[in-house]
PDB file of all heavy atoms in Angstrom:
ATOM      1  N   THR H 521      -1.415  13.201  25.381  1.00 93.00           N
ATOM      2  CA  THR H 521      -2.362  14.237  24.963  1.00 93.00           C
ATOM      3  C   THR H 521      -1.924  14.927  23.670  1.00 93.00           C
ATOM      4  O   THR H 521      -2.627  15.823  23.186  1.00 93.00           O
ATOM      5  CB  THR H 521      -2.520  15.306  26.065  1.00 93.00           C
ATOM      6  OG1 THR H 521      -1.277  16.022  26.218  1.00 93.00           O
ATOM      7  CG2 THR H 521      -2.887  14.667  27.394  1.00 93.00           C
ATOM      8  N   LEU H 522      -0.783  14.544  23.115  1.00 94.00           N
ATOM      9  CA  LEU H 522      -0.311  15.192  21.892  1.00 94.00           C
ATOM     10  C   LEU H 522      -1.312  15.024  20.758  1.00 94.00           C
ATOM     11  O   LEU H 522      -1.595  15.970  20.021  1.00 94.00           O
ATOM     12  CB  LEU H 522       1.050  14.613  21.482  1.00 94.00           C
ATOM     13  CG  LEU H 522       2.242  15.008  22.350  1.00 94.00           C
ATOM     14  CD1 LEU H 522       3.489  14.225  21.926  1.00 94.00           C
ATOM     15  CD2 LEU H 522       2.508  16.505  22.241  1.00 94.00           C
ATOM     16  N   SER H 523      -1.824  13.813  20.578  1.00 93.00           N
ATOM     17  CA  SER H 523      -2.835  13.542  19.561  1.00 93.00           C
ATOM     18  C   SER H 523      -3.324  12.118  19.735  1.00 93.00           C
ATOM     19  O   SER H 523      -2.800  11.357  20.565  1.00 93.00           O
ATOM     20  CB  SER H 523      -2.258  13.722  18.147  1.00 93.00           C
ATOM     21  OG  SER H 523      -1.386  12.651  17.818  1.00 93.00           O
ATOM     22  N   SER H 524      -4.294  11.753  18.924  1.00 94.00           N
ATOM     23  CA  SER H 524      -4.815  10.376  18.970  1.00 94.00           C
ATOM     24  C   SER H 524      -3.784   9.373  18.462  1.00 94.00           C
ATOM     25  O   SER H 524      -3.916   8.168  18.694  1.00 94.00           O
ATOM     26  CB  SER H 524      -6.092  10.275  18.124  1.00 94.00           C
ATOM     27  OG  SER H 524      -5.830  10.632  16.768  1.00 94.00           O
ATOM     28  N   HIS H 525      -2.763   9.862  17.771  1.00 95.00           N
ATOM     29  CA  HIS H 525      -1.710   8.974  17.278  1.00 95.00           C
ATOM     30  C   HIS H 525      -0.678   8.633  18.354  1.00 95.00           C
ATOM     31  O   HIS H 525       0.198   7.801  18.122  1.00 95.00           O
ATOM     32  CB  HIS H 525      -0.985   9.623  16.092  1.00 95.00           C
ATOM     33  CG  HIS H 525      -1.873   9.918  14.922  1.00 95.00           C
ATOM     34  ND1 HIS H 525      -2.812   9.039  14.463  1.00 95.00           N
ATOM     35  CD2 HIS H 525      -1.962  11.020  14.126  1.00 95.00           C
ATOM     36  CE1 HIS H 525      -3.452   9.568  13.425  1.00 95.00           C
ATOM     37  NE2 HIS H 525      -2.957  10.773  13.205  1.00 95.00           N
ATOM     38  N   ALA H 526      -0.771   9.292  19.514  1.00 94.00           N
ATOM     39  CA  ALA H 526       0.178   9.032  20.603  1.00 94.00           C
ATOM     40  C   ALA H 526      -0.265   7.789  21.360  1.00 94.00           C
ATOM     41  O   ALA H 526      -0.763   7.848  22.488  1.00 94.00           O
ATOM     42  CB  ALA H 526       0.258  10.243  21.531  1.00 94.00           C
ATOM     43  N   THR H 527      -0.076   6.649  20.729  1.00 95.00           N
ATOM     44  CA  THR H 527      -0.440   5.364  21.320  1.00 95.00           C
ATOM     45  C   THR H 527       0.606   4.941  22.351  1.00 95.00           C
ATOM     46  O   THR H 527       1.644   5.597  22.505  1.00 95.00           O
ATOM     47  CB  THR H 527      -0.543   4.299  20.225  1.00 95.00           C
ATOM     48  OG1 THR H 527       0.749   4.192  19.586  1.00 95.00           O
ATOM     49  CG2 THR H 527      -1.588   4.685  19.189  1.00 95.00           C
ATOM     50  N   HIS H 528       0.350   3.820  23.001  1.00 96.00           N
ATOM     51  CA  HIS H 528       1.298   3.330  24.003  1.00 96.00           C
ATOM     52  C   HIS H 528       2.662   3.058  23.372  1.00 96.00           C
ATOM     53  O   HIS H 528       3.697   3.438  23.924  1.00 96.00           O
ATOM     54  CB  HIS H 528       0.767   2.068  24.675  1.00 96.00           C
ATOM     55  CG  HIS H 528       1.727   1.469  25.660  1.00 96.00           C
ATOM     56  ND1 HIS H 528       2.015   2.052  26.880  1.00 96.00           N
ATOM     57  CD2 HIS H 528       2.501   0.346  25.576  1.00 96.00           C
ATOM     58  CE1 HIS H 528       2.910   1.313  27.519  1.00 96.00           C
ATOM     59  NE2 HIS H 528       3.222   0.277  26.758  1.00 96.00           N
ATOM     60  N   ASP H 529       2.670   2.390  22.202  1.00 96.00           N
ATOM     61  CA  ASP H 529       3.942   2.098  21.535  1.00 96.00           C
ATOM     62  C   ASP H 529       4.673   3.374  21.144  1.00 96.00           C
ATOM     63  O   ASP H 529       5.898   3.461  21.275  1.00 96.00           O
ATOM     64  CB  ASP H 529       3.694   1.245  20.283  1.00 96.00           C
ATOM     65  CG  ASP H 529       3.652  -0.252  20.603  1.00 96.00           C
ATOM     66  OD1 ASP H 529       3.966  -0.606  21.752  1.00 96.00           O
ATOM     67  OD2 ASP H 529       3.321  -1.034  19.694  1.00 96.00           O
ATOM     68  N   ALA H 530       3.925   4.365  20.650  1.00 96.00           N
ATOM     69  CA  ALA H 530       4.540   5.626  20.234  1.00 96.00           C
ATOM     70  C   ALA H 530       5.171   6.340  21.422  1.00 96.00           C
ATOM     71  O   ALA H 530       6.324   6.784  21.365  1.00 96.00           O
ATOM     72  CB  ALA H 530       3.504   6.524  19.561  1.00 96.00           C
ATOM     73  N   VAL H 531       4.439   6.437  22.514  1.00 96.00           N
ATOM     74  CA  VAL H 531       4.947   7.130  23.706  1.00 96.00           C
ATOM     75  C   VAL H 531       6.118   6.362  24.315  1.00 96.00           C
ATOM     76  O   VAL H 531       7.084   6.957  24.794  1.00 96.00           O
ATOM     77  CB  VAL H 531       3.817   7.344  24.733  1.00 96.00           C
ATOM     78  CG1 VAL H 531       4.378   7.878  26.050  1.00 96.00           C
ATOM     79  CG2 VAL H 531       2.764   8.301  24.174  1.00 96.00           C
ATOM     80  N   HIS H 532       6.044   5.038  24.284  1.00 96.00           N
ATOM     81  CA  HIS H 532       7.142   4.230  24.825  1.00 96.00           C
ATOM     82  C   HIS H 532       8.440   4.511  24.075  1.00 96.00           C
ATOM     83  O   HIS H 532       9.505   4.711  24.688  1.00 96.00           O
ATOM     84  CB  HIS H 532       6.782   2.743  24.731  1.00 96.00           C
ATOM     85  CG  HIS H 532       7.801   1.830  25.330  1.00 96.00           C
ATOM     86  ND1 HIS H 532       8.791   1.208  24.588  1.00 96.00           N
ATOM     87  CD2 HIS H 532       8.015   1.453  26.627  1.00 96.00           C
ATOM     88  CE1 HIS H 532       9.555   0.487  25.392  1.00 96.00           C
ATOM     89  NE2 HIS H 532       9.109   0.607  26.624  1.00 96.00           N
ATOM     90  N   LEU H 533       8.381   4.546  22.732  1.00 97.00           N
ATOM     91  CA  LEU H 533       9.580   4.840  21.941  1.00 97.00           C
ATOM     92  C   LEU H 533      10.038   6.277  22.160  1.00 97.00           C
ATOM     93  O   LEU H 533      11.243   6.545  22.322  1.00 97.00           O
ATOM     94  CB  LEU H 533       9.311   4.594  20.462  1.00 97.00           C
ATOM     95  CG  LEU H 533      10.446   4.958  19.484  1.00 97.00           C
ATOM     96  CD1 LEU H 533      11.734   4.224  19.843  1.00 97.00           C
ATOM     97  CD2 LEU H 533      10.033   4.643  18.043  1.00 97.00           C
ATOM     98  N   LEU H 534       9.102   7.205  22.201  1.00 97.00           N
ATOM     99  CA  LEU H 534       9.440   8.618  22.393  1.00 97.00           C
ATOM    100  C   LEU H 534      10.148   8.833  23.728  1.00 97.00           C
ATOM    101  O   LEU H 534      11.139   9.578  23.808  1.00 97.00           O
ATOM    102  CB  LEU H 534       8.165   9.466  22.320  1.00 97.00           C
ATOM    103  CG  LEU H 534       8.309  10.979  22.449  1.00 97.00           C
ATOM    104  CD1 LEU H 534       9.302  11.524  21.428  1.00 97.00           C
ATOM    105  CD2 LEU H 534       6.955  11.655  22.281  1.00 97.00           C
ATOM    106  N   CYS H 535       9.672   8.161  24.767  1.00 96.00           N
ATOM    107  CA  CYS H 535      10.297   8.305  26.093  1.00 96.00           C
ATOM    108  C   CYS H 535      11.709   7.740  26.119  1.00 96.00           C
ATOM    109  O   CYS H 535      12.554   8.202  26.913  1.00 96.00           O
ATOM    110  CB  CYS H 535       9.444   7.605  27.156  1.00 96.00           C
ATOM    111  SG  CYS H 535       7.905   8.462  27.542  1.00 96.00           S
ATOM    112  N   GLN H 536      12.005   6.765  25.280  1.00 96.00           N
ATOM    113  CA  GLN H 536      13.358   6.220  25.228  1.00 96.00           C
ATOM    114  C   GLN H 536      14.314   7.137  24.455  1.00 96.00           C
ATOM    115  O   GLN H 536      15.520   7.067  24.644  1.00 96.00           O
ATOM    116  CB  GLN H 536      13.327   4.828  24.592  1.00 96.00           C
ATOM    117  CG  GLN H 536      12.675   3.780  25.472  1.00 96.00           C
ATOM    118  CD  GLN H 536      12.774   2.384  24.869  1.00 96.00           C
ATOM    119  OE1 GLN H 536      12.093   2.066  23.909  1.00 96.00           O
ATOM    120  NE2 GLN H 536      13.636   1.569  25.430  1.00 96.00           N
ATOM    121  N   MET H 537      13.753   7.965  23.582  1.00 97.00           N
ATOM    122  CA  MET H 537      14.571   8.948  22.866  1.00 97.00           C
ATOM    123  C   MET H 537      14.818  10.187  23.722  1.00 97.00           C
ATOM    124  O   MET H 537      15.917  10.754  23.701  1.00 97.00           O
ATOM    125  CB  MET H 537      13.871   9.363  21.568  1.00 97.00           C
ATOM    126  CG  MET H 537      13.792   8.289  20.509  1.00 97.00           C
ATOM    127  SD  MET H 537      12.947   8.933  19.044  1.00 97.00           S
ATOM    128  CE  MET H 537      13.151   7.547  17.935  1.00 97.00           C
ATOM    129  N   LEU H 538      13.800  10.602  24.449  1.00 96.00           N
ATOM    130  CA  LEU H 538      13.906  11.812  25.270  1.00 96.00           C
ATOM    131  C   LEU H 538      14.368  11.452  26.674  1.00 96.00           C
ATOM    132  O   LEU H 538      13.634  11.579  27.658  1.00 96.00           O
ATOM    133  CB  LEU H 538      12.559  12.543  25.302  1.00 96.00           C
ATOM    134  CG  LEU H 538      12.028  12.998  23.940  1.00 96.00           C
ATOM    135  CD1 LEU H 538      10.672  13.671  24.092  1.00 96.00           C
ATOM    136  CD2 LEU H 538      13.013  13.947  23.259  1.00 96.00           C
ATOM    137  N   VAL H 539      15.598  10.999  26.774  1.00 94.00           N
ATOM    138  CA  VAL H 539      16.216  10.648  28.047  1.00 94.00           C
ATOM    139  C   VAL H 539      17.302  11.662  28.350  1.00 94.00           C
ATOM    140  O   VAL H 539      18.117  11.988  27.482  1.00 94.00           O
ATOM    141  CB  VAL H 539      16.811   9.223  28.001  1.00 94.00           C
ATOM    142  CG1 VAL H 539      17.587   8.918  29.266  1.00 94.00           C
ATOM    143  CG2 VAL H 539      15.696   8.204  27.795  1.00 94.00           C
ATOM    144  N   PHE H 540      17.311  12.190  29.576  1.00 90.00           N
ATOM    145  CA  PHE H 540      18.233  13.262  29.935  1.00 90.00           C
ATOM    146  C   PHE H 540      19.694  12.834  29.816  1.00 90.00           C
ATOM    147  O   PHE H 540      20.529  13.541  29.257  1.00 90.00           O
ATOM    148  CB  PHE H 540      17.935  13.730  31.362  1.00 90.00           C
ATOM    149  CG  PHE H 540      18.336  15.155  31.625  1.00 90.00           C
ATOM    150  CD1 PHE H 540      17.407  16.177  31.541  1.00 90.00           C
ATOM    151  CD2 PHE H 540      19.651  15.474  31.954  1.00 90.00           C
ATOM    152  CE1 PHE H 540      17.772  17.494  31.779  1.00 90.00           C
ATOM    153  CE2 PHE H 540      20.030  16.775  32.183  1.00 90.00           C
ATOM    154  CZ  PHE H 540      19.080  17.801  32.092  1.00 90.00           C
ATOM    155  N   ASP H 541      20.004  11.666  30.333  1.00 91.00           N
ATOM    156  CA  ASP H 541      21.368  11.148  30.300  1.00 91.00           C
ATOM    157  C   ASP H 541      21.645  10.553  28.918  1.00 91.00           C
ATOM    158  O   ASP H 541      21.011   9.568  28.524  1.00 91.00           O
ATOM    159  CB  ASP H 541      21.535  10.075  31.382  1.00 91.00           C
ATOM    160  CG  ASP H 541      22.968   9.569  31.494  1.00 91.00           C
ATOM    161  OD1 ASP H 541      23.770   9.845  30.579  1.00 91.00           O
ATOM    162  OD2 ASP H 541      23.273   8.894  32.493  1.00 91.00           O
ATOM    163  N   PRO H 542      22.584  11.115  28.148  1.00 93.00           N
ATOM    164  CA  PRO H 542      22.840  10.596  26.794  1.00 93.00           C
ATOM    165  C   PRO H 542      23.304   9.151  26.778  1.00 93.00           C
ATOM    166  O   PRO H 542      23.069   8.436  25.797  1.00 93.00           O
ATOM    167  CB  PRO H 542      23.928  11.538  26.260  1.00 93.00           C
ATOM    168  CG  PRO H 542      24.576  12.132  27.472  1.00 93.00           C
ATOM    169  CD  PRO H 542      23.470  12.240  28.479  1.00 93.00           C
ATOM    170  N   ASP H 543      23.944   8.701  27.866  1.00 91.00           N
ATOM    171  CA  ASP H 543      24.419   7.318  27.911  1.00 91.00           C
ATOM    172  C   ASP H 543      23.268   6.324  28.071  1.00 91.00           C
ATOM    173  O   ASP H 543      23.428   5.132  27.779  1.00 91.00           O
ATOM    174  CB  ASP H 543      25.410   7.134  29.064  1.00 91.00           C
ATOM    175  CG  ASP H 543      26.679   7.955  28.864  1.00 91.00           C
ATOM    176  OD1 ASP H 543      26.987   8.289  27.705  1.00 91.00           O
ATOM    177  OD2 ASP H 543      27.349   8.273  29.867  1.00 91.00           O
ATOM    178  N   LYS H 544      22.120   6.807  28.524  1.00 94.00           N
ATOM    179  CA  LYS H 544      20.951   5.951  28.708  1.00 94.00           C
ATOM    180  C   LYS H 544      19.939   6.123  27.575  1.00 94.00           C
ATOM    181  O   LYS H 544      18.946   5.404  27.527  1.00 94.00           O
ATOM    182  CB  LYS H 544      20.275   6.259  30.052  1.00 94.00           C
ATOM    183  CG  LYS H 544      21.168   6.025  31.261  1.00 94.00           C
ATOM    184  CD  LYS H 544      20.478   6.454  32.548  1.00 94.00           C
ATOM    185  CE  LYS H 544      21.390   6.287  33.763  1.00 94.00           C
ATOM    186  NZ  LYS H 544      20.732   6.793  35.000  1.00 94.00           N
TER     187      LYS H 544
END
Side-chain angles (χ1 to χ4, degrees):
T521 66
L522 288 173
S523 73
S524 59
H525 300 317
T527 60
H528 177 71
D529 274 352
V531 172
H532 183 264
L533 176 56
L534 182 54
C535 288
Q536 290 185 287
M537 291 180 174
L538 300 178
V539 174
F540 206 97
D541 185 346
D543 295 337
K544 299 175 183 176

